[in-house]
Amino acid sequence: MPNPGEHHPAFEEYCECIFDLREDDVDIIQARIAERLRVSRPSVSEMIKRMAEEKIILVVGGKISLTDIGEEIAVRVVRRHRIAERFMTDVLGLSWSLAHQEAGRWEHVMSEAVETAMARVLGDPTTCPHGNPIPGTNYEPPAAVRLSELSSGQEFTVSRIPEELEFTPGMLEFLEKSHLVPGSHGTVRRNSRLGEMTVEVDGHEIDVDAFATARMLVTI
C-alpha cells in the first residue's frame, strides 16, 4: 500500500470530498464532486479515471467509493483539516470562514508531529468548530434531526453544521454572526411550508432559508 503522504494534493482533495459527501449522505457521483469542488465535469472525469487506476477509488454503476487506500488518505486529510479549524478558531481567534479556508491549505502540508501537538494543545477535541466529528476520536454524535423537521414553538440545540453548508458561499459568516453554532439553544418561531424558518437565539429572531434548515442538524 502506498504511503498516503506521497499522493498529490489533488488526490487528497478528491478523497476528502468523497468522504464529506458520504458523511453528508449525498450521492457520490461525478456531478456532486464537480459541484462541491467547483471544477468542470471533464476535469472530474479525468481525475476519477486516474484515481481508479491508482486504486484509490472504486466506480461501480456510476457510484464512487473509497478503497482502503483512499479511505486512509481521506481520514488523514479530514482529521488534519478539522483539527486545524479548531486550532484557528479556539487558539488564534479566527472567524469560521477564514479558519475553513486556511485549514484547506494546512491539511496538505501538516506533519504528523504538528497534528499531534495541536490536538494535545486543544485537549484532544472530538469535533471541529461546526460539530463535525474528527476522525480517530471515536466520537459518537447525538441523535439529531434536521432543523426543518421542527414545528413552531419547539426548542432545539444546534448539533452540527454539515460540510455542505460550509461550502455554501456566505453561509459560515451568516451562521457564526447569528450565533447558530453547535451548543446554541433556540426556539422555532415560524416555519413556512417552503422550509424557510424564523428562529430565536439569544433573544434575537433570525430568518433561515430552506437550504440551511434542511441541512442543519439539531437536538430537541
Side-chain angles (χ1 to χ4, degrees):
M1 179 182 295
N3 183 343
E6 295 176 353
H7 285 285
H8 192 279
F11 283 177
E12 295 183 342
E13 198 75 27
Y14 272 71
C15 287
E16 179 184 23
C17 178
I18 293 167
F19 183 101
D20 289 342
L21 290 172
R22 185 182 67 195
E23 187 176 65
D24 289 348
D25 197 25
V26 175
D27 285 340
I28 306 172
I29 57 177
Q30 291 191 23
R32 300 292 83 77
I33 293 174
E35 290 170 0
R36 179 66 60 92
L37 296 180
R38 298 179 190 172
V39 295
S40 70
R41 293 195 183 187
S43 295
V44 172
S45 179
E46 178 61 28
M47 181 62 75
I48 291 300
K49 179 181 178 182
R50 290 175 57 193
M51 293 175 72
E53 291 173 350
E54 293 284 338
K55 303 187 185 306
I56 295 172
I57 61 169
L58 289 174
V59 183
V60 179
K63 297 293 182 67
I64 302 164
S65 62
L66 296 168
T67 63
D68 288 345
I69 296 173
E71 185 74 17
E72 187 174 351
I73 296 170
V75 165
R76 178 178 64 84
V77 175
V78 172
R79 175 177 170 80
R80 292 179 179 178
H81 180 100
R82 294 179 181 178
I83 287 176
E85 283 184 318
R86 179 64 75 179
F87 182 82
M88 283 186 261
T89 56
D90 293 10
V91 177
L92 302 183
L94 300 183
S95 69
W96 268 14
S97 178
L98 182 54
H100 178 68
Q101 294 174 32
E102 290 296 326
R105 300 182 179 94
W106 287 26
E107 66 191 24
H108 301 297
V109 298
M110 187 187 300
S111 69
E112 185 176 350
V114 170
E115 172 195 328
T116 300
M118 276 190 182
R120 184 181 67 250
V121 168
L122 292 166
D124 294 317
T126 57
T127 69
C128 75
H130 319 110
N132 295 304
I134 294 176
T137 62
N138 297 317
Y139 174 72
E140 291 293 337
V145 299
R146 300 183 188 280
L147 180 59
S148 59
E149 297 176 31
L150 273 58
S151 303
S152 295
Q154 279 193 279
E155 297 182 352
F156 63 87
T157 299
V158 178
S159 177
R160 184 162 76 86
I161 309 299
E163 289 285 341
E164 188 172 8
L165 291 181
E166 292 190 44
F167 281 90
T168 302
M171 185 61 70
L172 287 181
E173 294 94 331
F174 166 73
L175 294 174
E176 186 174 27
K177 182 179 179 181
S178 302
H179 301 288
L180 282 168
V181 300
S184 293
H185 304 290
T187 304
V188 177
R189 293 306 181 197
R190 285 178 290 278
N191 189 352
S192 76
R193 292 181 179 178
L194 298 178
E196 299 172 345
M197 304 178 77
T198 300
V199 301
E200 182 177 332
V201 178
D202 293 337
H204 299 284
E205 290 197 348
I206 305 151
D207 294 325
V208 187
D209 66 28
F211 184 84
T213 65
R215 290 160 178 80
M216 187 183 306
L217 297 175
V218 301
T219 56
I220 54 178

